[in-house]
Amino acid sequence: MRVVLVTYGSRGDVEPMMGLALRLQALGAEVRVCAPPDFAELLNGVDVPLSPVGWPIRALATGAVPGKAKAGLSDIAAELTATAYEAVVAVSEGCAAVVATGSFPAAAGARTAAEKLGVPYAFTSLSPSYLPSPHHPPPPWPGQVIPARVTDNRGLWDLNAEHKNALFGETINNHRASVGLPPVDGIRDHVFTDHPFLATDPVLGPWQETPELAVAQTGAWIRPDERPLPADLEAFLAAGAEPVYVGFGSMPMRGANAQDLSRAVIEAVRTQGRRVLLGSGWADLVLIDDRDDCFVVGEVNQQALFRRVAAVVHHGGAGTTTTAARAGTPQVLVPQVADQPYWAGRVTELGIGTGHDGPTPTAESLAAALEIALAPATGARAAVVAETVRTDGAELAAKLLLDKIGRSASAVSAD
């Protein structure tokens, strides 16, 4: 039995699928992951085969793909939909289910492939804020104009559905027609379905029940990381007091070049009397001088690292937020796009850190945020919340998915 997992996005979209893949494998399923080609080495490292989808995500995000430098999601939707569909069909032998997250057009292609193959499909949200609910508004969509008269959440979600139809409806239905499937109305709800998975921790990212959706909230899909930290990083950690980690992951930071941003964050941490540990990431953070209180790392085991730092400053991705919360380490979130403001709000509400005011930190603004994060009360609260974070989300999701497959097979047999 093969399960196909589909995502087109950054590391934060791929890691949860890796967590689910490993749990499915442990329960006896064969797994294929369809994701950007950037992640071949990462997936090979855990013996999960990759079927590449689309362009390398970092090259696309930074304008390095020829002809796509100024392309928005709607401009490349047709290609993403088709390539995701083709990736699933290419590994469809023995396919029993398709699970999708990440880019909306890619998830639409995955849904179409599942329908064409006649197998169950499950959409997964990595944030409650993406799922329609009367309890919260939708994340703002770049370029969308909201009429001043529309202020209630249901009305905003109706506009969100209309906007999705306008952006992607014709493209997705043209692709469906090309593979012999009828058109659908309500593209957003077709892709999301009325019974999605929600791969977030119930304390960090709770879901409020609503009659419109039967959401299965499982907890975050965490991939256990047993890698040791590099020897030079271990030496830096051992050489003094706990540093503050600053890294913005797969996020080019708006409004600042690498040198200016690096200087701002290093100076901010130094004002707090702390050493600095920079995660280079897509923001390309670098050293600004030769002082020995600062160190730069690339991709490392954050599950191990975050337990050994005084605070984590990051972009507000769901995975990084969960990892820091699980470590019991206070956080400062500098949200840029999408669901990142949501996570900044949750961290602030829970008292385990704070959201930075605005997407571009200065030495002064980040220092002010760090004063909150490094306060003893914040650390104590972070330690309490850490004890509540679920670690079995991927296992629960795998069991629910296998049960869904079993029920579907039984229904087919009965027919």
Side-chain angles (χ1 to χ4, degrees):
M1 177 181 64
R2 175 175 293 179
V3 179
V4 181
L5 310 181
V6 184
T7 185
Y8 189 81
S10 65
R11 179 71 175 266
D13 298 294
V14 176
E15 278 281 347
M17 289 305 209
M18 292 174 63
L20 179 60
L22 292 174
R23 293 312 308 157
L24 286 168
Q25 287 180 333
L27 293 171
E30 181 187 356
V31 184
R32 293 290 185 275
V33 173
C34 302
D38 315 53
F39 301 103
E41 183 178 353
L42 182 67
L43 286 157
N44 287 339
V46 293
D47 295 323
V48 176
L50 170 71
S51 295
V53 174
W55 313 270
I57 188 65
R58 182 170 185 178
L60 183 65
T62 56
V65 176
K68 307 296 182 187
K70 297 182 179 179
L73 187 56
S74 59
D75 300 314
I76 59 176
E79 292 172 270
L80 273 180
T81 301
T83 55
Y85 174 89
E86 291 159 4
V88 174
V89 170
V91 295
S92 63
E93 183 178 354
C95 179
V98 176
V99 182
T101 192
S103 157
F104 185 85
R111 170 79 201 256
T112 300
E115 189 174 342
K116 188 70 174 179
L117 296 169
V119 300
Y121 161 84
F123 176 78
T124 302
S125 180
L126 303 179
S127 170
S129 63
Y130 289 139
L131 296 177
S133 169
H135 302 297
H136 60 252
W141 191 277
Q144 183 183 10
V145 178
I146 305 295
R149 68 180 184 278
V150 182
T151 57
D152 67 291
N153 289 336
R154 290 188 186 276
L156 292 170
W157 279 109
D158 288 344
L159 288 178
N160 176 268
E162 293 173 10
H163 194 61
K164 284 279 203 311
N165 279 341
L167 286 175
F168 305 120
E170 183 177 2
T171 292
I172 291 169
N173 278 324
N174 284 343
H175 180 259
R176 289 176 60 82
S178 73
V179 299
L181 292 176
V184 294
D185 294 323
I187 288 296
R188 184 198 67 196
D189 296 339
H190 172 74
V191 173
F192 286 3
T193 78
D194 58 4
H195 47 276
F197 283 131
L198 176 57
T200 65
D201 182 79
V203 172
L204 296 179
W207 174 254
Q208 291 182 265
E209 294 296 330
T210 174
E212 289 86 354
L213 291 178
V215 172
Q217 183 166 26
T218 61
W221 298 353
I222 298 169
R223 173 179 70 99
D225 196 342
E226 305 298 334
R227 294 174 298 161
L229 297 177
D232 55 352
L233 174 56
E234 285 282 7
F236 176 75
L237 292 171
E242 292 179 334
V244 169
Y245 173 87
V246 183
F248 302 110
S250 304
M251 185 58 55
M253 298 293 284
R254 288 186 283 163
N257 62 48
Q259 189 69 31
D260 290 343
L261 180 61
S262 300
R263 182 172 300 280
V265 300
I266 291 171
E267 290 179 353
V269 177
R270 283 174 171 168
T271 65
Q272 304 303 305
R274 294 283 182 169
R275 300 190 302 153
V276 192
L277 179 57
L278 298 177
S280 53
W282 288 15
D284 294 321
L285 297 179
V286 294
L287 299 177
I288 62 170
D289 53 40
D290 58 0
R291 290 171 56 178
D292 62 4
D293 67 339
C294 190
F295 190 81
V296 179
V297 296
E299 198 280 314
V300 296
N301 179 352
Q302 293 185 342
Q303 293 175 22
L305 176 60
F306 286 1
R307 299 181 187 279
R308 300 176 62 183
V309 299
V312 177
V313 179
H314 62 99
H315 58 297
T320 310
T321 303
T322 302
T323 301
R326 183 183 171 203
T329 304
Q331 311 179 47
V332 173
L333 280 66
V334 187
Q336 304 293 302
V337 295
D339 62 333
Q340 295 165 12
Y342 168 82
W343 293 112
R346 287 300 301 153
V347 163
T348 302
E349 290 167 16
L350 287 167
I352 62 176
T354 189
H356 179 270
D357 184 14
T360 308
T362 64
E364 294 76 16
S365 65
L366 185 55
L370 279 169
E371 287 186 9
I372 297 172
L374 293 170
T378 307
R381 177 62 180 159
V384 170
V385 171
E387 296 298 318
T388 71
V389 177
R390 295 187 61 157
T391 59
D392 63 344
E395 182 174 3
L396 176 57
K399 291 177 178 177
L400 290 173
L401 182 63
L402 293 178
D403 181 63
K404 181 185 183 81
I405 292 169
R407 285 186 281 107
S408 176
S410 296
V412 171
S413 297
D415 291 342

